[in-house]
């Protein structure tokens, strides 16, 4: 088993077929078939289920695939490390939150493209949680996300500090008023981004904190007597 065998194996797994992998590898189909069969014989396991529609990984093939990809990435990294290049080139995969991609990245990418024309920059947008997972799985080289991000395998650098603003109806004039506004109305709706967004997570934490304060206020007023409770209720309507 060598790196070429693993490269052929990973190509077939990603393409889902021998013929499609042969096209991606710029070789003939028989060469790919021979490589895969030789690898299976050497390992003593079947790596693919074969059918007329193509191939799918067996359980052993699924185990081997992450290692094959990792070895391929390490070999490519080793080549880049020893190659004497005067300027960067190749593919750069960057993730970004949608708001950052729309408002802050365009001028940065414009200057970068002018400085490094041989770099193919690819942008993928999404919520912070999804982007962090993509970086950890090496699907992205880096990402612009919302802090804090704490992970032993990631290096984080602050880029910009932003102020989060909560937009409410005109009658809400304070944080306390906002908490009462949510607690006393029925069918209140909050517009947020999809799950995984750090802004949504912070709002959820804020609302949970506000709810705990409201519950604490109710408990205190109930302990002072029924008149206080009725007064509080009338003030809410």
């Amino acid at each position: 088993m060598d790196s070429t065998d693993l490269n052929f194996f990973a190509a077939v797994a990603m393409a889902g077929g021998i013929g499609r992998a042969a096209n991606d590898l710029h070789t003939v189909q028989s060469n790919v078939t021979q490589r895969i069969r030789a690898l299976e014989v050497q390992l003593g396991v079947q790596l693919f289920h074969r059918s007329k529609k193509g191939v799918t990984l067996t359980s052993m093939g699924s185990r081997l695939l992450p290692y094959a990809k990792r070895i391929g990435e390490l070999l490519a990294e080793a080549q880049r490390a020893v190659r004497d290049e005067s300027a960067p080139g190749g593919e750069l995969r960057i993730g970004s939150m949608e708001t950052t991609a729309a408002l802050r990245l365009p001028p940065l990418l414009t200057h970068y493209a002018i400085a490094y024309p041989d770099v193919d920059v690819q942008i993928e947008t999404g919520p912070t949680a999804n982007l962090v997972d993509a970086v950890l799985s090496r699907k992205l080289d880096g990402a612009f996300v919302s802090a804090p991000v704490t992970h032993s395998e990631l290096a984080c650098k602050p880029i910009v500090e932003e102020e989060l603003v909560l937009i409410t109806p005109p009658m809400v004039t304070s944080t306390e008023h906002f908490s009462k506004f949510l607690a006393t109305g029925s069918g209140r709706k909050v517009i947020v981004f999809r799950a995984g967004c750090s802004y949504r997570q912070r709002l959820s934490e804020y609302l949970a904190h506000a709810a705990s304060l409201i519950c604490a206020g109710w408990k205190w007023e109930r302990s002072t007597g029924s008149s206080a409770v009725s007064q509080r209720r009338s003030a809410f309507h």
Side-chain angles (χ1 to χ4, degrees):
M1 178 174 58
D2 58 26
S3 60
T4 303
D5 294 334
L6 293 175
N7 183 40
F8 275 52
F9 162 72
V12 173
M14 299 300 293
I18 301 291
R20 291 187 291 271
N23 291 331
D24 295 339
L25 294 168
H26 306 290
T27 186
V28 295
Q29 184 171 336
S30 59
N31 185 29
V32 178
T33 301
Q34 183 179 357
R35 286 276 188 176
I36 297 301
R37 287 178 176 172
L39 182 59
E40 289 179 326
V41 170
Q42 185 176 4
L43 294 175
V45 297
Q46 183 178 349
L47 298 175
F48 293 101
H49 296 296
R50 295 165 174 83
S51 67
K52 294 181 180 180
K53 295 182 179 180
V55 298
T56 56
L57 287 169
T58 63
S59 59
M60 292 301 176
S62 297
R63 288 187 186 182
L64 180 62
L65 183 58
Y67 295 98
K69 288 183 176 180
R70 192 183 308 173
I71 290 173
E73 292 171 351
L74 288 173
L75 289 173
E77 185 177 343
Q79 291 177 355
R80 290 193 298 267
V82 299
R83 188 182 302 156
D84 183 17
E85 294 183 340
S86 58
E91 185 179 276
L92 179 61
R93 302 162 300 178
I94 299 295
S96 174
M97 297 184 298
E98 295 175 353
T99 51
T100 303
L103 300 176
R104 299 189 180 277
L105 286 191
L108 294 177
L109 293 178
T110 299
H111 290 301
Y112 188 87
I114 294 174
Y116 306 106
D118 294 332
V119 178
D120 178 20
V121 180
Q122 299 182 9
I123 302 296
E124 178 179 330
T125 61
T128 291
N130 293 3
L131 295 175
V132 170
D133 289 341
V135 174
L136 287 171
S137 61
R138 299 181 182 273
K139 295 178 181 178
L140 294 175
D141 298 309
F144 294 92
V145 298
S146 177
V149 175
T150 55
H151 196 285
S152 59
E153 297 182 18
L154 297 178
C156 301
K157 180 179 180 181
I159 300 298
V160 65
E161 183 174 331
E162 295 181 326
E163 179 184 7
L164 294 182
V165 177
L166 183 64
I167 301 176
T168 65
M171 72 283 293
V172 178
T173 58
S174 66
T175 303
E176 182 181 357
H177 192 185
F178 176 66
S179 300
K180 295 178 180 179
F181 172 76
L182 292 178
T184 57
S186 59
R188 303 291 192 197
K189 293 184 178 180
V190 179
I191 301 176
V192 295
F193 288 109
R194 62 184 182 273
C197 173
S198 58
Y199 299 156
R200 174 173 177 167
Q201 177 63 29
R202 293 188 183 186
L203 179 60
S204 298
E205 293 173 355
Y206 170 79
L207 293 179
H209 177 68
S212 65
L213 293 179
I214 292 172
C215 291
W218 269 92
K219 290 179 181 179
W220 181 84
E221 290 198 4
R222 288 179 67 88
S223 65
T224 62
S226 59
S227 59
V229 175
S230 61
Q231 182 180 2
R232 178 66 173 264
R233 286 176 176 166
S234 63
F236 281 0
H237 288 288

